[in-house]
Amino acid sequence: MSAPASAATLRPATRADLPAVLALLADEDRVVDQATVVVAEAYEHAFRAIDTDPRNELLVLTDADGAVVGCLQATYIPGLGKGGAERALLEAVRIRADRRGGGLGRVLMELAIDRARSRGCALVQLTSNKQREAAHRFYAGLGFTRSHDGFKLAL
């Protein structure tokens, strides 16, 4: 039986967490064994860039045993809107497929929102693939509202 969500902890990721994070990002519908993940130089470079940038955080959610069960990247964006306050952009939000439904996603998001609030952010925003209807219901349940249409341009 899995430990309760209340035993989960949110912390900045370390280099040692990178295989677990990449496993979460590899396939959101199944558990990927982190031992099979190849940490290519591009991932090493990206991790170092995030880790050394004070406006970025790669955060991991760990269970009572210390296993990585969730992750997200938070980017803090300065802006002239909202009275010059920062906003937090949350990306790559994942909970391990076999641990969903027990409240870990709510814990992950609430702790990330608390971090943004304590930093002085006036807004937390995220994007989600239009096909992820369950995720949209989840975000709405946390108080997020649909306010904009997003656009992307692959380069």
Side-chain angles (χ1 to χ4, degrees), residues 10-127:
L10 186 68
R11 63 170 174 77
T14 66
R15 167 54 187 85
D17 297 317
L18 195 50
V21 170
L22 294 174
L24 288 171
L25 298 176
D27 190 334
E28 67 181 272
D29 294 324
R30 66 180 182 87
V31 176
V32 174
D33 181 356
Q34 69 185 40
T36 67
V37 172
V38 175
V39 181
E41 181 55 35
Y43 294 126
E44 296 279 4
H45 177 76
F47 177 80
R48 283 190 303 272
I50 294 165
D51 195 44
T52 59
D53 183 345
R55 294 204 176 276
N56 276 285
E57 293 186 299
L58 181 60
L59 302 171
V60 292
L61 188 71
T62 58
D63 66 11
D65 297 325
V68 173
V69 294
C71 68
L72 62 77
Q73 181 177 342
T75 301
Y76 303 102
I77 306 168
L80 298 177
K82 298 284 184 193
E86 282 188 329
R87 64 185 61 213
L89 173 65
L90 305 183
E91 293 284 335
V93 178
R94 296 289 190 281
I95 293 294
R96 204 170 75 191
D98 65 341
R99 298 294 298 273
R100 291 191 196 127
L104 288 171
R106 178 169 290 280
V107 169
L108 173 65
M109 292 298 293
E110 287 176 350
L111 291 172
I113 291 165
D114 286 346
R115 284 177 84 90
R117 186 178 290 115
S118 69
R119 189 179 166 106
C121 291
L123 179 74
V124 176
Q125 63 189 36
L126 57 85
T127 60

